[in-house]
Amino acid sequence: MATSGLPFDDGTKLSPLSAPSVTRAVLEAHGLATKHSLGQNFLVNDAILQKIVDLAQLDAADSVLEVGPGIGTLTIALLKTAGRVASVERDPDLPPVLAQTCAPWANTFTLLEKDALDLQLSDLDATALPTKLVANLPYAVAATVVLDYFERFANLQSATVMVQKEVADRMCAQVGTKNYGAYTVKLRLYAQPAGRFPVSPNNFFPPPRVDSAVLRLDRYHPCDANGQPLTLQEVKAAATMAEAAFASRRKTIANSCKTYFATRQDVDVAALLNAAGIDPKRRGETLSLQEFIALGKAFLR
């Protein structure tokens, strides 16, 4: 494997930073330490990086968006396998580190210094909009970022992300299981799971107190029961009904929706459920995506 020309790259790894000793040395060289408040746990296993790249199915034609590059461990792996990488980092101490570690790819690497939740389409290069999100996400905002980006960035066709295991369980949950909830339904209106593998704490520096998972989500364009693609308004209505159905998870869908729409005099819950053909005694976790779509259509009538 060719080297990047960096002093710590001997050419044996996809990312030369994927070792505890190197990660520690790079941080110390810049007078830094990991910040628990920002959820900084740096990946230090090159085999995991290779699995992430493989799952994301990257090639030179891809433009990748990364959130939370840290010192550039995954970033270097992405730069070696994709055409372009734009990374979003909120820690003001890390740009000088990334300027060093990603220097060999200055022509294909862009660093956006801002909070990932504040990222706008106008921040990205209009001539090379990212089509894939690949990131070791800060766990506190992982679920929010993934759904938000699929909602707002139509150019994003897939997301291959490292998240806390419990978050991955919610993202991949099946109807009728304990992890199936409003978030699952809302995400499923935009994307479907397409692969997953576990990652244990000992693959990080410092090790987190939770188990992790990497999963890929591919963009999905939902249709109604007649095969007609949903409008944006219908997608948002289905998401609203998911929130209503799980507002009081232990209650029947009728009672949960009544709680959610308590201040809405214009919403007749009984008539809405009847129009969608939903038994009011059922609970939200028993409803399929198609049934939430039907509820959304009834909500708009």
Side-chain angles (χ1 to χ4, degrees), residues 196-268:
R196 171 178 176 172
F197 63 85
V199 183
S200 61
N202 61 6
N203 290 292
F204 298 88
F205 171 79
R209 297 180 180 178
V210 297
D211 287 328
S212 306
V214 174
L215 74 158
R216 193 180 92 213
L217 298 156
D218 289 346
R219 183 172 288 280
Y220 170 67
H221 299 283
C223 296
D224 63 18
N226 297 317
Q228 294 298 311
L230 300 189
T231 65
L232 179 60
Q233 186 181 29
E234 289 170 336
V235 169
K236 291 185 178 298
T240 295
M241 291 311 304
E243 292 176 357
F246 290 97
S248 299
R249 188 181 181 96
R250 296 183 180 181
K251 293 183 178 180
T252 64
I253 189 169
N255 288 333
S256 183
C257 287
K258 287 176 183 177
T259 298
Y260 184 84
F261 293 116
T263 60
R264 293 279 302 271
Q265 301 299 318
D266 59 321
V267 178
D268 184 335

Side-chain angles (χ1 to χ4, degrees), residues 22-283:
V22 178
T23 296
R24 187 182 297 108
V26 170
L27 289 170
E28 290 177 352
H30 289 267
L32 301 177
T34 57
K35 297 178 181 178
H36 178 72
S37 62
L38 297 182
Q40 291 178 346
N41 301 97
F42 301 118
L43 194 57
V44 290
N45 185 331
D46 209 61
I48 298 297
L49 292 173
Q50 186 65 61
K51 291 183 71 173
I52 292 172
V53 167
D54 290 344
L55 183 61
Q57 297 183 343
L58 298 180
D59 60 40
D62 288 319
S63 181
V64 174
L65 178 61
E66 181 191 22
V67 170
I71 63 172
T73 307
L74 174 59
T75 317
I76 291 175
L78 298 177
L79 287 163
K80 285 184 175 180
T81 51
R84 297 191 63 84
V85 177
S87 299
V88 187
E89 178 56 64
R90 63 175 288 194
D91 186 346
D93 291 330
L94 291 177
V97 183
L98 290 160
Q100 177 202 26
T101 58
C102 298
W105 300 274
N107 292 333
T108 56
F109 175 59
T110 302
L111 179 61
L112 302 168
E113 299 177 44
K114 64 187 311 177
D115 190 312
L117 294 175
D118 295 331
L119 184 70
Q120 302 298 317
L121 189 63
S122 58
D123 295 321
L124 302 170
D125 183 352
T127 64
L129 288 175
T131 57
K132 295 182 178 181
L133 171 67
V134 185
N136 175 13
L137 291 172
Y139 288 178
V141 297
T144 303
V145 164
V146 171
L147 178 57
D148 179 52
Y149 282 17
F150 270 119
E151 287 178 338
R152 294 195 295 117
F153 301 143
N155 49 290
L156 200 65
Q157 295 304 306
S158 71
T160 303
V161 291
M162 177 96 70
V163 297
Q164 189 172 332
K165 177 185 177 297
E166 287 74 12
V167 172
D169 290 343
R170 289 168 58 203
M171 291 177 169
C172 298
Q174 298 297 313
V175 178
T177 63
K178 66 177 182 179
N179 292 308
Y180 184 76
Y183 179 85
T184 312
V185 176
K186 290 189 289 185
L187 181 59
R188 205 60 51 81
L189 287 163
Y190 295 93
Q192 291 185 324
R196 171 178 176 172
F197 63 85
V199 183
S200 61
N202 61 6
N203 290 292
F204 298 88
F205 171 79
R209 297 180 180 178
V210 297
D211 287 328
S212 306
V214 174
L215 74 158
R216 193 180 92 213
L217 298 156
D218 289 346
R219 183 172 288 280
Y220 170 67
H221 299 283
C223 296
D224 63 18
N226 297 317
Q228 294 298 311
L230 300 189
T231 65
L232 179 60
Q233 186 181 29
E234 289 170 336
V235 169
K236 291 185 178 298
T240 295
M241 291 311 304
E243 292 176 357
F246 290 97
S248 299
R249 188 181 181 96
R250 296 183 180 181
K251 293 183 178 180
T252 64
I253 189 169
N255 288 333
S256 183
C257 287
K258 287 176 183 177
T259 298
Y260 184 84
F261 293 116
T263 60
R264 293 279 302 271
Q265 301 299 318
D266 59 321
V267 178
D268 184 335
V269 172
L272 190 158
L273 293 172
N274 183 63
I278 304 297
D279 184 342
K281 294 182 180 179
R282 291 175 64 185
R283 286 182 165 77

